PDB file of all heavy atoms in Angstrom:
ATOM      1  N   ALA A1599    -204.378  49.694 -97.131  1.00  0.00           N
ATOM      2  CA  ALA A1599    -203.010  49.980 -96.993  1.00  0.00           C
ATOM      3  C   ALA A1599    -202.429  49.628 -95.571  1.00  0.00           C
ATOM      4  O   ALA A1599    -201.427  49.001 -95.450  1.00  0.00           O
ATOM      5  CB  ALA A1599    -202.747  51.451 -97.299  1.00  0.00           C
ATOM      6  N   ILE A1600    -203.181  49.918 -94.629  1.00  0.00           N
ATOM      7  CA  ILE A1600    -202.812  49.620 -93.272  1.00  0.00           C
ATOM      8  C   ILE A1600    -202.746  48.058 -92.988  1.00  0.00           C
ATOM      9  O   ILE A1600    -201.815  47.613 -92.402  1.00  0.00           O
ATOM     10  CB  ILE A1600    -203.836  50.247 -92.233  1.00  0.00           C
ATOM     11  CG1 ILE A1600    -203.716  51.818 -92.218  1.00  0.00           C
ATOM     12  CG2 ILE A1600    -203.495  49.813 -90.756  1.00  0.00           C
ATOM     13  CD1 ILE A1600    -204.714  52.559 -91.485  1.00  0.00           C
ATOM     14  N   VAL A1601    -203.801  47.432 -93.532  1.00  0.00           N
ATOM     15  CA  VAL A1601    -203.764  45.929 -93.327  1.00  0.00           C
ATOM     16  C   VAL A1601    -202.593  45.319 -94.062  1.00  0.00           C
ATOM     17  O   VAL A1601    -201.904  44.416 -93.573  1.00  0.00           O
ATOM     18  CB  VAL A1601    -205.116  45.372 -93.877  1.00  0.00           C
ATOM     19  CG1 VAL A1601    -205.129  43.789 -94.011  1.00  0.00           C
ATOM     20  CG2 VAL A1601    -206.321  45.837 -93.114  1.00  0.00           C
ATOM     21  N   ASN A1602    -202.360  45.787 -95.302  1.00  0.00           N
ATOM     22  CA  ASN A1602    -201.269  45.273 -96.077  1.00  0.00           C
ATOM     23  C   ASN A1602    -199.864  45.448 -95.371  1.00  0.00           C
ATOM     24  O   ASN A1602    -199.008  44.534 -95.308  1.00  0.00           O
ATOM     25  CB  ASN A1602    -201.190  45.893 -97.412  1.00  0.00           C
ATOM     26  CG  ASN A1602    -202.087  45.262 -98.501  1.00  0.00           C
ATOM     27  OD1 ASN A1602    -202.234  44.014 -98.496  1.00  0.00           O
ATOM     28  ND2 ASN A1602    -202.682  45.956 -99.420  1.00  0.00           N
ATOM     29  N   LYS A1603    -199.735  46.697 -94.851  1.00  0.00           N
ATOM     30  CA  LYS A1603    -198.478  46.977 -94.187  1.00  0.00           C
ATOM     31  C   LYS A1603    -198.286  46.184 -92.930  1.00  0.00           C
ATOM     32  O   LYS A1603    -197.219  45.768 -92.593  1.00  0.00           O
ATOM     33  CB  LYS A1603    -198.453  48.499 -93.769  1.00  0.00           C
ATOM     34  CG  LYS A1603    -197.062  49.022 -93.401  1.00  0.00           C
ATOM     35  CD  LYS A1603    -197.076  50.575 -93.380  1.00  0.00           C
ATOM     36  CE  LYS A1603    -195.630  50.998 -93.053  1.00  0.00           C
ATOM     37  NZ  LYS A1603    -195.552  52.518 -93.079  1.00  0.00           N
ATOM     38  N   SER A1604    -199.379  45.975 -92.179  1.00  0.00           N
ATOM     39  CA  SER A1604    -199.321  45.233 -90.953  1.00  0.00           C
ATOM     40  C   SER A1604    -198.921  43.806 -91.143  1.00  0.00           C
ATOM     41  O   SER A1604    -198.240  43.248 -90.281  1.00  0.00           O
ATOM     42  CB  SER A1604    -200.688  45.381 -90.176  1.00  0.00           C
ATOM     43  OG  SER A1604    -200.988  46.579 -89.864  1.00  0.00           O
ATOM     44  N   PHE A1605    -199.391  43.147 -92.245  1.00  0.00           N
ATOM     45  CA  PHE A1605    -199.109  41.793 -92.441  1.00  0.00           C
ATOM     46  C   PHE A1605    -198.010  41.563 -93.476  1.00  0.00           C
ATOM     47  O   PHE A1605    -197.741  40.378 -93.919  1.00  0.00           O
ATOM     48  CB  PHE A1605    -200.339  40.974 -92.969  1.00  0.00           C
ATOM     49  CG  PHE A1605    -201.431  40.937 -91.869  1.00  0.00           C
ATOM     50  CD1 PHE A1605    -202.430  41.874 -91.712  1.00  0.00           C
ATOM     51  CD2 PHE A1605    -201.333  39.933 -90.923  1.00  0.00           C
ATOM     52  CE1 PHE A1605    -203.362  41.828 -90.701  1.00  0.00           C
ATOM     53  CE2 PHE A1605    -202.309  39.802 -89.862  1.00  0.00           C
ATOM     54  CZ  PHE A1605    -203.329  40.723 -89.782  1.00  0.00           C
ATOM     55  N   SER A1606    -197.235  42.545 -93.839  1.00  0.00           N
ATOM     56  CA  SER A1606    -196.156  42.355 -94.752  1.00  0.00           C
ATOM     57  C   SER A1606    -194.784  41.969 -94.059  1.00  0.00           C
ATOM     58  O   SER A1606    -193.975  41.344 -94.675  1.00  0.00           O
ATOM     59  CB  SER A1606    -195.852  43.711 -95.521  1.00  0.00           C
ATOM     60  OG  SER A1606    -195.569  44.693 -94.654  1.00  0.00           O
ATOM     61  N   ASN A1607    -194.758  42.255 -92.716  1.00  0.00           N
ATOM     62  CA  ASN A1607    -193.563  41.907 -91.992  1.00  0.00           C
ATOM     63  C   ASN A1607    -193.826  40.584 -91.215  1.00  0.00           C
ATOM     64  O   ASN A1607    -194.561  40.450 -90.254  1.00  0.00           O
ATOM     65  CB  ASN A1607    -193.263  42.968 -90.972  1.00  0.00           C
ATOM     66  CG  ASN A1607    -191.949  42.839 -90.253  1.00  0.00           C
ATOM     67  OD1 ASN A1607    -191.465  41.694 -90.030  1.00  0.00           O
ATOM     68  ND2 ASN A1607    -191.250  43.954 -89.966  1.00  0.00           N
ATOM     69  N   LYS A1608    -193.121  39.518 -91.671  1.00  0.00           N
ATOM     70  CA  LYS A1608    -193.330  38.202 -91.079  1.00  0.00           C
ATOM     71  C   LYS A1608    -192.822  38.100 -89.628  1.00  0.00           C
ATOM     72  O   LYS A1608    -193.496  37.410 -88.819  1.00  0.00           O
ATOM     73  CB  LYS A1608    -192.607  37.094 -91.906  1.00  0.00           C
ATOM     74  CG  LYS A1608    -193.155  36.942 -93.307  1.00  0.00           C
ATOM     75  CD  LYS A1608    -192.373  35.848 -94.040  1.00  0.00           C
ATOM     76  CE  LYS A1608    -192.984  35.683 -95.466  1.00  0.00           C
ATOM     77  NZ  LYS A1608    -192.148  34.644 -96.221  1.00  0.00           N
ATOM     78  N   LYS A1609    -191.778  38.872 -89.420  1.00  0.00           N
ATOM     79  CA  LYS A1609    -191.295  38.798 -87.936  1.00  0.00           C
ATOM     80  C   LYS A1609    -192.257  39.466 -86.966  1.00  0.00           C
ATOM     81  O   LYS A1609    -192.496  38.957 -85.901  1.00  0.00           O
ATOM     82  CB  LYS A1609    -189.943  39.635 -87.900  1.00  0.00           C
ATOM     83  CG  LYS A1609    -188.847  38.873 -88.539  1.00  0.00           C
ATOM     84  CD  LYS A1609    -187.517  39.597 -88.291  1.00  0.00           C
ATOM     85  CE  LYS A1609    -186.398  38.951 -88.936  1.00  0.00           C
ATOM     86  NZ  LYS A1609    -185.062  39.675 -88.796  1.00  0.00           N
ATOM     87  N   SER A1610    -192.955  40.468 -87.470  1.00  0.00           N
ATOM     88  CA  SER A1610    -193.960  41.110 -86.618  1.00  0.00           C
ATOM     89  C   SER A1610    -195.211  40.179 -86.430  1.00  0.00           C
ATOM     90  O   SER A1610    -195.734  40.068 -85.324  1.00  0.00           O
ATOM     91  CB  SER A1610    -194.492  42.364 -87.331  1.00  0.00           C
ATOM     92  OG  SER A1610    -193.443  43.327 -87.341  1.00  0.00           O
ATOM     93  N   PHE A1611    -195.528  39.466 -87.471  1.00  0.00           N
ATOM     94  CA  PHE A1611    -196.622  38.551 -87.379  1.00  0.00           C
ATOM     95  C   PHE A1611    -196.348  37.424 -86.320  1.00  0.00           C
ATOM     96  O   PHE A1611    -197.256  37.181 -85.468  1.00  0.00           O
ATOM     97  CB  PHE A1611    -196.901  37.816 -88.712  1.00  0.00           C
ATOM     98  CG  PHE A1611    -198.121  36.965 -88.736  1.00  0.00           C
ATOM     99  CD1 PHE A1611    -199.271  37.520 -89.224  1.00  0.00           C
ATOM    100  CD2 PHE A1611    -198.063  35.612 -88.300  1.00  0.00           C
ATOM    101  CE1 PHE A1611    -200.513  36.639 -89.278  1.00  0.00           C
ATOM    102  CE2 PHE A1611    -199.195  34.876 -88.356  1.00  0.00           C
ATOM    103  CZ  PHE A1611    -200.378  35.329 -88.798  1.00  0.00           C
ATOM    104  N   VAL A1612    -195.198  36.880 -86.413  1.00  0.00           N
ATOM    105  CA  VAL A1612    -194.771  35.909 -85.338  1.00  0.00           C
ATOM    106  C   VAL A1612    -194.746  36.483 -83.928  1.00  0.00           C
ATOM    107  O   VAL A1612    -195.230  35.912 -83.002  1.00  0.00           O
ATOM    108  CB  VAL A1612    -193.405  35.345 -85.767  1.00  0.00           C
ATOM    109  CG1 VAL A1612    -192.867  34.409 -84.634  1.00  0.00           C
ATOM    110  CG2 VAL A1612    -193.426  34.550 -87.084  1.00  0.00           C
ATOM    111  N   LYS A1613    -194.196  37.725 -83.895  1.00  0.00           N
ATOM    112  CA  LYS A1613    -194.132  38.437 -82.577  1.00  0.00           C
ATOM    113  C   LYS A1613    -195.538  38.535 -82.026  1.00  0.00           C
ATOM    114  O   LYS A1613    -195.787  38.316 -80.812  1.00  0.00           O
ATOM    115  CB  LYS A1613    -193.437  39.809 -82.763  1.00  0.00           C
ATOM    116  CG  LYS A1613    -193.431  40.620 -81.538  1.00  0.00           C
ATOM    117  CD  LYS A1613    -192.752  41.999 -81.841  1.00  0.00           C
ATOM    118  CE  LYS A1613    -192.840  42.854 -80.599  1.00  0.00           C
ATOM    119  NZ  LYS A1613    -192.265  44.250 -80.949  1.00  0.00           N
ATOM    120  N   TRP A1614    -196.472  39.050 -82.796  1.00  0.00           N
ATOM    121  CA  TRP A1614    -197.798  39.316 -82.301  1.00  0.00           C
ATOM    122  C   TRP A1614    -198.550  37.963 -82.025  1.00  0.00           C
ATOM    123  O   TRP A1614    -199.329  37.954 -80.982  1.00  0.00           O
ATOM    124  CB  TRP A1614    -198.656  40.042 -83.424  1.00  0.00           C
ATOM    125  CG  TRP A1614    -198.119  41.413 -83.735  1.00  0.00           C
ATOM    126  CD1 TRP A1614    -197.229  42.199 -82.933  1.00  0.00           C
ATOM    127  CD2 TRP A1614    -198.229  42.135 -85.041  1.00  0.00           C
ATOM    128  NE1 TRP A1614    -196.915  43.307 -83.626  1.00  0.00           N
ATOM    129  CE2 TRP A1614    -197.506  43.275 -84.827  1.00  0.00           C
ATOM    130  CE3 TRP A1614    -198.935  41.889 -86.113  1.00  0.00           C
ATOM    131  CZ2 TRP A1614    -197.462  44.325 -85.917  1.00  0.00           C
ATOM    132  CZ3 TRP A1614    -198.873  42.801 -87.170  1.00  0.00           C
ATOM    133  CH2 TRP A1614    -198.155  44.047 -87.027  1.00  0.00           C
ATOM    134  N   PHE A1615    -198.252  36.962 -82.757  1.00  0.00           N
ATOM    135  CA  PHE A1615    -198.823  35.585 -82.446  1.00  0.00           C
ATOM    136  C   PHE A1615    -198.249  35.123 -81.088  1.00  0.00           C
ATOM    137  O   PHE A1615    -199.077  34.667 -80.254  1.00  0.00           O
ATOM    138  CB  PHE A1615    -198.501  34.674 -83.531  1.00  0.00           C
ATOM    139  CG  PHE A1615    -198.893  33.223 -83.264  1.00  0.00           C
ATOM    140  CD1 PHE A1615    -200.222  32.876 -83.130  1.00  0.00           C
ATOM    141  CD2 PHE A1615    -197.949  32.197 -82.972  1.00  0.00           C
ATOM    142  CE1 PHE A1615    -200.653  31.567 -82.820  1.00  0.00           C
ATOM    143  CE2 PHE A1615    -198.333  30.936 -82.694  1.00  0.00           C
ATOM    144  CZ  PHE A1615    -199.672  30.603 -82.620  1.00  0.00           C
TER     145      PHE A1615
END
Side-chain angles (χ1 to χ4, degrees):
I1600 292 170
V1601 171
N1602 274 325
K1603 192 169 185 179
S1604 298
F1605 289 96
S1606 61
N1607 190 326
K1608 293 180 181 179
K1609 288 184 179 179
S1610 293
F1611 187 95
V1612 173
K1613 175 184 177 181
W1614 299 336
F1615 173 68

